[in-house]
Structures are given as structure tokens and as C-alpha cells.
């Protein structure tokens, strides 16, 4: 299923995201992960699919403000669930109300989600693992597609448990090249580091402007 964001679809092999895929997105702070997800939400809806952008990082007012600034106009759904069962229930409502359409979930971010295991709202070191497993299982059961922003360190490295990486089907990484000896020093780079359903190994050089991220070039690695 093509998202309509050309460089993103090409990074996954040219055809976009396979139904039943759960994908994680990581990257350096400020690289544009949330902007990318909002661009995807708008573009996915423009393709005729159904997209739910769920945020635990910002208020819905902030999401609307950024969406207006970026010139988005195709009417994706926005939510603010923190409990995974509530999130998936809302996703199922959209799925049943839009039969025949592909449903996408874009989640900002995994660290804000609670799997609901404890009635008092408590969490522990395995909460994110259980949450991503619930989301992955939902994708497999419904053929839905999910993209989840994962927790990172200040340097942009993945900060969660390795079980999370193993649970997802694809892993994209968006980062600013800080290697001064690199030919792409200072540029935003996007690459697919894992993809069970397609290719990986291509890096896209991205710029950022008034309407979000855009492709400046690409190259293959490995």
C-alpha cells in the first residue's frame, strides 16, 4: 500500500507498506520524526486510505497547529489515547466504518503508551514490550499497518529493550549526520535498517522546509 510520500515508499522497496506490517521509527531529537508522521498521515489519507495519528507527546491543539502550518488538508483522524486497548478499539471502529479501505496507525510515541496490564495504571520495564506486541498482533489479525515512534537516547540511539526490535517487521531511522568527515555532514538522513517484507540498504538525504521533509538525494549502502 503506497503512502504517497515517494521517498518513504521507495525506501521500503517502491510499493510502500505491506498490510499487517508493524514498523518502528527512531532517530535523533529534532530530526523530524513527528513531522514525518504528520506528513505520512496527510499523504496516506490523500491516497484514499484511513489514517489515525495518535499522540501522547503533544496536545491535539498542538497537532492541529502544526498540521495547519505544514499545509495539510486531507483530513486524517487524530487521537490522544494512552491505553493500548482504547487505541486499538478506536482503530477497529475506523476499520469497521471504512470497509475495504486500508487502515494505518501512526503512533507518537511508544514510550507514552500503557498496555493496561495493571489496574492502577502502573508500568514497568516490560510495558513497552507488551504494548508493541499488542500493536503487532493487531496488525497481523486485521491486516492493519502501524508505524510507532520508538524511544531514543539524546544521541538518537534506540533506548528500549531488544524484544521491541524483534517484534516489529520494519525499522526506519531518521537522523542528522554529525560525522564531520562525512560527505553528508549536517544533513538529515533516512534509512530502513530492517524490513521483513521488502528491501533495505538505501539512504535518503532529506531537507526540511515549510511543508516538512523533502528528498534531496539518495545513495545505497552495505
Amino acid at each position: 500500500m503506497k503512502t504517497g510520500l515517494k521517498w518513504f515508499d521507495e525506501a521500503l522497496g517502491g510499493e510502500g507498506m505491506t498490510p499487517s506490517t508493524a514498523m518502528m521509527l527512531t532517530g535523533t531529537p529534532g530530526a523530524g520524526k513527528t513531522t514525518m508522521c504528520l506528513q505520512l498521515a496527510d499523504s496516506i489519507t490523500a491516497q484514499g486510505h484511513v489514517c489515525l495519528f495518535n499522540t501522547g507527546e503533544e496536545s491535539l491543539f498542538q497537532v492541529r497547529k502544526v498540521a495547519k502550518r505544514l499545509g495539510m488538508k486531507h483530513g486524517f483522524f487524530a487521537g490522544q489515547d494512552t491505553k493500548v486497548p482504547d487505541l486499538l478499539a478506536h482503530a477497529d471502529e475506523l476499520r469497521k466504518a471504512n470497509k475495504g479501505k486500508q487502515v494505518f496507525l501512526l503512533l507518537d510515541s511508544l514510550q507514552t503508551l500503557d498496555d493496561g496490564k495493571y489496574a492502577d495504571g502502573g508500568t514497568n520495564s516490560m510495558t513497552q514490550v507488551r504494548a508493541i506486541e499488542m500493536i503487532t498482533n493487531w496488525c497481523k489479525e486485521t491486516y492493519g499497518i502501524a508505524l510507532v515512534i520508538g524511544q531514543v537516547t539524546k544521541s538518537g540511539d534506540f533506548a528500549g529493550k531488544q524484544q521491541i526490535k524483534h517484534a516489529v517487521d520494519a525499522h526506519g531511522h531518521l537522523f542528522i549526520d554529525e560525522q564531520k568527515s562525512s560527505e553528508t555532514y549536517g544533513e538529515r538522513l533516512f534509512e530502513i535498517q530492517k524490513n521483513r517484507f521488502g528491501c533495505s540498504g538505501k539512504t535518503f538525504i532529506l531537507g526540511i522546509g515549510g511543508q516538512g521533509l523533502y528528498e534531496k538525494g539518495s545513495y545505497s549502502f552495505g
Side-chain angles (χ1 to χ4, degrees):
M1 294 290 176
K2 289 189 176 181
T3 67
L5 202 59
K6 186 178 178 182
W7 50 266
F8 184 88
D9 291 338
E10 289 183 357
L12 289 163
E15 297 301 322
M17 299 185 76
T18 303
S20 77
T21 295
M23 177 176 176
M24 181 172 65
L25 174 65
T26 57
T28 51
K33 298 184 294 297
T34 299
T35 297
M36 178 191 287
C37 286
L38 286 170
Q39 284 181 263
L40 280 168
D42 192 60
S43 184
I44 284 165
T45 305
Q47 300 302 302
H49 307 307
V50 177
C51 186
L52 171 60
F53 176 87
N54 190 84
T55 178
E57 298 284 353
E58 300 175 331
S59 70
L60 293 179
F61 179 84
Q62 289 173 306
V63 171
R64 182 175 182 272
K65 187 176 181 179
V66 174
K68 288 182 70 176
R69 176 172 58 81
L70 294 172
M72 297 173 180
K73 57 186 179 181
H74 296 293
F76 60 87
F77 293 94
Q80 205 170 19
D81 288 317
T82 57
K83 295 291 180 68
V84 178
D86 295 337
L87 166 67
L88 298 181
H90 286 142
D92 281 332
E93 288 178 13
L94 289 175
R95 186 170 58 87
K96 292 172 183 176
N98 295 274
K99 292 183 179 179
K101 291 189 175 183
Q102 181 65 53
V103 175
F104 286 75
L105 299 182
L106 305 183
L107 312 177
D108 186 12
S109 62
L110 181 60
Q111 68 194 57
T112 66
L113 295 175
D114 178 359
D115 66 313
K117 181 178 177 65
Y118 302 108
D120 63 357
T123 60
N124 59 25
S125 62
M126 292 299 291
T127 297
Q128 291 184 28
V129 175
R130 293 190 298 267
I132 197 65
E133 287 176 347
M134 291 172 70
I135 293 165
T136 300
N137 289 339
W138 179 86
C139 291
K140 301 298 180 281
E141 292 166 3
T142 67
Y143 297 102
I145 295 172
L147 188 153
V148 187
I149 295 179
Q151 186 177 5
V152 294
T153 64
K154 289 183 178 180
S155 62
D157 297 324
F158 177 65
K161 290 185 174 293
Q162 289 301 307
Q163 291 101 311
I164 295 172
K165 279 189 175 182
H166 295 316
V168 297
D169 303 298
H171 178 195
H173 191 60
L174 175 67
F175 62 103
I176 298 173
D177 188 352
E178 297 181 347
Q179 297 293 326
K180 292 185 177 180
S181 60
S182 172
E183 293 182 1
T184 56
Y185 173 65
E187 299 279 11
R188 283 175 169 80
L189 305 178
F190 176 62
E191 61 191 28
I192 300 297
Q193 298 184 343
K194 171 185 177 180
N195 189 3
R196 285 184 180 140
F197 303 130
C199 72
S200 59
K202 193 172 183 180
T203 296
F204 286 78
I205 306 168
L206 304 178
I208 190 165
Q211 293 187 312
L213 297 162
Y214 60 90
E215 182 183 350
K216 296 173 68 175
S218 64
Y219 63 91
S220 298
F221 65 92

